[in-house]
Amino acid sequence: MTHHTVFKTNSYDRETLLQIITRHFEAHGIADEIPADARVLIKPNLVANKDSAFAVTTNPELVFAVIRYLKSIGINDITVADCPGGALLLFTQMNEIYKDTGYSFISEYAHLNTDFASRDVEAPEGSVNSSFNILNAIADADYIINLPKLKTHNLTCITAGVKNLFGCIPGLQKPAFHAKYPSAKDFSNMLVELAATVKPNFTIVDAVDIMEGNGPTNGKRRHLGLTFSSKDVFGLDDFIVGFLGVPKEAVPTIQASKGKNLLSDNYPVSGDTDFVLEKPILLPEAYEAKSKSDKVFAKVNTLFRKVSDALLESYPQMTDDCILCGKCIATCPKKALKIQNGKINVDKKTCIGCLCCDEVCPNAAVKIRKKLR
């Protein structure tokens, strides 16, 4: 029976991680599922050129621990692949990301993918999207291990297993999805359909150090000291959100998974289930959750959020920290940003509030504002 596993993981110490990762794999009997000649694909979160200390990307030591375990059971054909958004065109840019995120040393033990060739993969029957164009390295894999970083997200509130699979889409195609599905609800429905298409075999979530606040790239690092795993990526996200006390109605990917009957309440949980969260996870400004104990205020806050979501939408405003690098302009799906009078201005009428600009900004120069629809 499918189940979820949670283990306390207090640091990224190399040997400690190998022990924890081994426990995750053994708890789910993964070694019996992977043939020795299988092409195994590891999908981390490498959204930006930032050192792992910022808790933006999946820590490379976690990836290395997975590779060490796979090699210990005789698996040698291992590829690490992701494709961040933005104007990513050259393999040299991906090599820069591997270098900046601390992944370069992994090339001695596994293949670091820099090939963005892709092909269409048919989506499950009943999907709004009939197919998805997915990187060949992922589409051709025999076994996919999904290694997301647990973070908050300005559009989807929480990003974990399901949202991480957006990196299976070639970077230059991502803005088109944001333009096609501008609302968090529709975008999250697309993400769930994509996850059902990719069908990762096993997911391990890096929650040793997480990002809270205005993630996924410009929030605050927080030590949580956990790792989670499951064969069911949809159920695992649902479990993590509930385990950490985040309101499930605030996470549109959970609601989309529920709407497609992909969630079950019957999965057992093993591991360190006695973990106690000392203080609530700080959610993005648009979803900020209050104390669970203050039930009356929580109800009022939920009602206010529903009303505000109906009447207002988010848009970016560049602060004085902007260095005019142009990454936000290159990634904007509606071309709503341009440089005028020595600064980047936003066309509010054109902006769809996807906040891709905030995700790719290297200097945390995007302030999120609200406008009437």
Side-chain angles (χ1 to χ4, degrees):
M1 177 184 289
T2 299
H3 69 286
H4 310 313
T5 306
V6 53
F7 290 127
K8 294 177 182 177
T9 314
N10 292 323
S11 75
Y12 291 110
D13 172 75
R14 187 163 287 185
E15 295 309 314
T16 299
L17 272 180
L18 180 58
Q19 294 175 15
I20 296 294
I21 288 301
T22 298
R23 291 176 69 189
H24 278 295
F25 275 91
E26 290 182 347
H28 296 274
I30 302 301
D32 296 331
E33 297 183 354
I34 312 178
D37 60 350
R39 296 168 294 180
V40 176
L41 187 286
I42 295 175
K43 168 62 181 73
N45 184 322
L46 295 176
V47 66
N49 299 62
K50 290 194 176 183
D51 186 271
S52 59
F54 290 97
V56 171
T57 56
T58 306
N59 193 285
E61 290 295 340
L62 184 71
V63 177
F64 185 47
V66 170
I67 293 170
R68 290 176 69 190
Y69 175 79
L70 291 173
K71 287 185 172 293
S72 75
I73 61 171
I75 308 299
N76 292 302
D77 190 346
I78 306 169
T79 297
V80 177
D82 191 16
C83 192
L88 190 61
L89 291 170
L90 306 174
F91 74 92
T92 52
Q93 291 176 287
M94 197 66 224
N95 281 332
E96 284 293 318
I97 289 179
Y98 287 135
K99 177 182 177 182
D100 293 343
T101 55
Y103 274 63
S104 294
F105 80 95
I106 290 176
S107 63
E108 298 180 31
Y109 308 94
H111 174 63
L112 295 180
N113 183 65
T114 56
D115 183 0
F116 302 137
S118 58
R119 63 180 175 85
D120 287 341
V121 176
E122 186 176 348
E125 185 177 350
S127 300
V128 174
N129 299 272
S130 60
S131 64
F132 289 94
N133 194 248
I134 294 172
L135 295 179
N136 285 342
I138 297 171
D140 295 338
D142 299 312
Y143 199 93
I144 298 174
I145 299 175
N146 186 23
L147 296 184
K149 166 70 82 173
L150 180 61
K151 299 182 290 183
T152 50
H153 195 286
N154 277 318
L155 183 63
T156 61
C157 186
I158 295 291
T159 170
V162 170
K163 176 64 173 67
N164 188 50
L165 296 171
F166 195 40
C168 298
I169 302 292
L172 291 174
Q173 295 181 27
K174 290 183 173 69
F177 278 102
H178 281 288
K180 185 177 181 179
Y181 303 114
S183 74
K185 178 181 179 181
D186 291 341
F187 187 76
S188 295
N189 186 73
M190 178 276 296
L191 291 174
V192 168
E193 292 185 354
L194 173 61
T197 302
V198 175
K199 295 183 291 189
N201 301 88
F202 191 44
T203 297
I204 304 176
V205 177
D206 176 4
V208 182
D209 289 338
I210 69 169
M211 175 169 286
E212 62 179 0
N214 289 327
T217 57
N218 294 314
K220 299 177 181 179
R221 183 183 63 151
R222 173 175 171 179
H223 181 71
L224 194 61
L226 297 171
T227 48
F228 301 87
S229 69
S230 181
K231 295 179 183 179
D232 175 11
V233 66
F234 307 105
L236 184 60
D237 279 11
D238 183 60
F239 166 66
I240 292 172
V241 167
F243 189 72
L244 298 179
V246 175
K248 291 186 179 181
E249 68 271 13
V251 186
T253 51
I254 299 296
Q255 298 307 308
S257 298
K258 183 178 179 181
K260 291 181 176 295
N261 297 315
L262 294 170
L263 300 181
S264 172
D265 296 328
N266 300 321
Y267 292 153
V269 179
S270 64
D272 300 318
T273 57
D274 60 340
F275 174 83
V276 177
L277 191 67
E278 294 182 357
K279 59 179 181 178
I281 302 297
L282 179 63
L283 299 182
E285 293 175 1
Y287 295 100
E288 185 176 8
K290 304 300 179 182
S291 171
K292 288 178 64 179
S293 62
D294 191 350
K295 295 182 180 179
V296 174
F297 188 85
K299 291 181 180 179
V300 174
N301 185 48
T302 299
L303 176 61
F304 174 76
R305 183 170 60 247
K306 290 180 178 178
V307 174
S308 65
D309 286 349
L311 297 177
L312 303 171
E313 63 183 17
S314 300
Y315 75 94
Q317 184 178 74
M318 309 307 163
T319 69
D320 292 338
D321 293 324
C322 177
I323 57 175
L324 297 177
C325 68
K327 289 185 176 181
C328 59
I329 295 175
T331 198
C332 179
K334 301 297 287 186
K335 307 303 178 186
L337 305 173
K338 59 182 177 181
I339 298 177
Q340 293 178 319
N341 300 320
K343 64 179 182 179
I344 294 177
N345 288 326
V346 182
D347 182 346
K348 296 179 185 178
K349 293 182 179 180
T350 305
C351 175
I352 59 174
C354 66
L355 303 178
C356 289
C357 51
D358 179 56
E359 186 169 320
V360 301
C361 180
N363 217 39
V366 179
K367 182 69 175 177
I368 300 169
R369 304 293 189 186
K370 288 284 188 178
K371 66 175 180 178
L372 286 172
R373 292 184 184 273

